[in-house]
Amino acid sequence: MVEVKIYPCILCGGSGTRLWPLSRKSYPKQFVPLVGTGTLFQASVLRATGADFAAPIILTNSDFRFIVTEQLAELGIDPAAILIEPEGRNTAPAVLAAALHAHGADPEATLLVMPSDHDIPATADFQATVIRGLEATARGQIVTFGITPTRPETGYGYLELTEAPAGDGAAIPLHKFVEKPDLGRAEAMLASGNYLWNAGIFLFRAQDMIAAFERFAPAVLAAVRAATDAARVDLGFLRLAPEPWARSPDISINYAVMEKAPNLSVVPFDGAWSDLGGWDAVWAVSGPDGAGVVTRGEASAIDCTNSLLRSDSDGLQLVGIGLDNIIAVAMNDAVLIADKRRAQDVKEAVSLLKSKAAKQAVQFPKDHRPWGWFETLALADRFQVKRIVVKPGASLSLQSHHHRSEHWIVVQGTARVTVDDTVRLITENQSVYVPLGAVHRMENPGKVPMVLIEVQTGAYLGEDDIVRYEDLYARGPGAKG
């Protein structure tokens, strides 16, 4: 067996729409507890931990950077690096940035690139499959992993192999990538035995991936190399330089190099796998009961069959009666009800809501920040009521507002409050008023979460009405900075 330390690379900057309303642009599916107790991102990280794996390299964007660090901290995992993409340019620049970074630290680095939103329950089997791929990477091969198909699936891309798998798990040369087929084509591919589902997971030596970009996508290489060379450290994150990054073509790793490179091999994986690309997939992996029903949260089913009923808000009771083949997902600000056969069309609901300028299209009810989170309890003309939760030891920025005043009432814990030149502690049932234009800050000096109710009044209540003077998290102006 080839003795190699594998560098996991987790891609978690995307935002899917097919799992709306639980997955939204501001807080996408990889960061929510979609299946099981942890998040998909956390499961992806844990999938590549152990003696054979180095600390992970994370690719994300600025909005998600503190969510990533918080969820890694919950696992007790210290990443090798968290690379911040200035903007989304698809998977090719992201993969290449990870390869360049790893190669700079270790010229012999081998990377395992994985999406952060897949469900692969058999971790030990998956790791064994990855290890089998090392013999091919040692020969300069770029390895992709193919899932043994269990049905004629039309929602996945396929890998056509040069020969049918022999059952020993050995790497097989790839003939070509195949786009999502129609049902007839999918049935024929399943019957042939030499097609696997494309998992979008890759194993390669960094030097071989860089060489592939040099040959097949030099424009991407030039831009991303410049962005990594000019990257700057920011609170433990590595921010890729925005100007050269923006010059990179917006292109997937498949189109940039994988469909052109001659040195591709496939390692079959026989275990369960799902890309969780829709609520029908979530239903399938969630263990339907004898009637085909899945319930989660405060949801109940009466005489229902083949349905998913899910409440994702505390105190919100969802009850289905006599439903068949239905998806019902309820949150405190949005409810989805759909025929399970139309699960892939949920993205159309997001487009419709965007056309109506509905904030539910992209904004999660809880707005997560590095210091904690808040949610709006009431919003009307000239006033807004929020619940704000501040983590122990955390602090909001020293800030002011041009258009609103605020009244804070502590309902749990203790807050250290700054208003202009006055600093004082306020405890449960105490309050403080922050006049328009006052320079202010709230901190949690305690060891338990601090909860307060904030009442805002003013002509404009948008989150971008923030002028920051000091900030522990080095954020700039605006809502998230």
Side-chain angles (χ1 to χ4, degrees):
M1 184 62 65
V2 182
E3 295 294 333
V4 174
K5 183 73 75 170
I6 301 169
Y7 292 76
C9 172
I10 314 296
L11 307 180
C12 59
S15 55
T17 58
R18 289 185 176 89
L19 291 177
W20 183 90
L22 190 61
S23 175
R24 309 188 197 182
K25 183 179 180 181
S26 70
Y27 204 70
K29 66 176 181 176
Q30 60 264 32
F31 299 121
V32 299
L34 191 64
V35 178
T37 54
T39 69
L40 296 177
F41 168 70
Q42 290 174 318
S44 298
V45 173
L46 292 174
R47 195 174 297 130
T49 57
D52 296 304
F53 298 92
I57 300 170
I58 311 296
L59 268 291
T60 189
N61 62 45
S62 186
D63 285 351
F64 303 153
R65 65 195 189 278
F66 293 110
I67 299 172
V68 164
T69 55
E70 181 178 352
Q71 295 199 358
L72 287 173
E74 291 175 358
L75 300 176
I77 291 177
D78 188 19
I82 300 177
L83 276 57
I84 306 298
E85 300 175 77
E87 60 180 287
R89 306 300 290 168
N90 216 314
T91 54
V95 172
L96 178 58
L100 289 168
H101 178 80
H103 187 263
D106 178 3
E108 300 300 319
T110 294
L111 276 71
L112 173 67
V113 174
M114 300 186 294
S116 58
D117 56 359
H118 289 186
D119 179 58
I120 306 175
T123 295
D125 292 343
F126 175 76
Q127 290 187 354
T129 302
V130 171
I131 299 303
R132 285 199 297 272
L134 290 176
E135 294 184 4
T137 61
R139 303 193 306 270
Q141 293 287 296
I142 295 173
V143 171
T144 183
F145 295 90
I147 311 301
T148 302
T150 58
R151 61 187 182 276
E153 176 62 53
T154 60
Y156 298 153
Y158 285 71
L159 304 169
E160 183 180 355
L161 312 182
T162 55
E163 59 188 75
D168 57 1
I172 303 167
L174 175 70
H175 178 58
K176 67 177 179 179
F177 290 87
V178 179
E179 295 295 331
K180 297 176 182 178
D182 59 27
L183 181 58
R185 176 69 172 141
E187 290 173 339
M189 289 192 294
L190 180 64
S192 75
N194 63 329
Y195 289 85
L196 303 175
W197 291 336
N198 182 8
I201 301 173
F202 304 102
L203 183 72
F204 53 83
R205 294 187 305 189
Q207 58 186 320
D208 296 323
M209 183 57 71
I210 295 168
F213 273 90
E214 192 168 28
R215 179 178 177 184
F216 300 111
V220 179
L221 177 60
V224 175
R225 176 169 276 158
T228 54
D229 288 346
R232 62 181 180 86
V233 175
D234 175 14
L235 291 180
F237 305 106
L238 187 63
R239 288 185 176 272
L240 301 171
E243 291 186 7
W245 185 263
R247 295 197 296 268
S248 172
D250 186 333
I251 188 171
S252 73
I253 186 70
N254 280 0
Y255 286 128
V257 298
M258 295 299 184
E259 294 186 357
K260 304 169 185 174
N263 56 329
L264 263 67
S265 293
V266 181
V267 174
F269 177 63
D270 293 330
W273 168 87
S274 174
D275 70 350
L276 296 177
W279 283 114
D280 53 340
V282 175
W283 169 84
V285 304
S286 297
D289 64 16
V293 173
V294 172
T295 60
R296 178 158 176 149
E298 298 178 52
S300 303
I302 300 172
D303 296 330
C304 295
T305 53
N306 302 317
S307 295
L308 170 66
L309 282 74
R310 180 176 178 131
S311 172
D312 280 280
S313 293
D314 293 338
L316 196 159
Q317 292 287 341
L318 173 65
V319 180
I321 301 175
L323 303 179
D324 178 58
N325 218 54
I326 293 296
I327 294 164
V329 181
M331 301 187 70
N332 60 8
D333 68 335
V335 177
L336 169 71
I337 301 173
D339 187 315
K340 187 149 61 71
R341 291 167 296 188
R342 300 287 301 276
Q344 295 300 309
D345 295 333
V346 170
K347 60 182 179 179
E348 296 181 14
V350 178
S351 298
L352 176 63
L353 292 176
K354 285 181 178 179
S355 71
K356 295 180 176 181
K359 66 178 183 179
Q360 289 91 336
V362 297
Q363 187 64 44
F364 202 71
K366 289 182 180 179
D367 199 324
H368 291 260
R369 300 298 171 91
W371 44 260
W373 57 268
F374 70 83
E375 62 180 339
T376 296
L377 304 178
L379 176 63
D381 186 36
R382 297 190 64 85
F383 82 88
Q384 180 172 208
V385 182
K386 292 180 178 179
R387 174 168 60 165
I388 300 176
V389 178
V390 183
K391 295 182 290 189
S395 171
L396 279 69
S397 61
L398 185 66
Q399 60 185 253
S400 65
H401 309 295
H402 292 299
H403 303 288
R404 70 175 185 255
S405 59
E406 298 172 342
H407 195 154
W408 298 339
I409 306 167
V410 175
V411 296
Q412 178 181 306
T414 299
R416 180 186 291 117
V417 173
T418 300
V419 180
D420 289 329
D421 296 327
T422 302
V423 180
R424 64 189 179 100
L425 294 177
I426 61 173
T427 59
E428 292 181 13
N429 296 321
Q430 294 182 324
S431 64
V432 65
Y433 175 66
V434 182
L436 177 71
V439 177
H440 60 280
R441 170 161 47 200
M442 73 173 77
E443 307 166 71
N444 180 0
K447 296 182 178 181
V448 298
M450 183 266 289
V451 183
L452 61 83
I453 301 299
E454 177 182 85
V455 180
Q456 302 176 350
T457 58
Y460 178 71
L461 306 174
E463 287 301 314
D464 54 350
D465 180 21
I466 298 176
V467 179
R468 289 193 176 94
Y469 304 97
E470 295 177 7
D471 184 42
L472 292 177
Y473 314 104
R475 293 170 295 171
K480 294 190 178 182

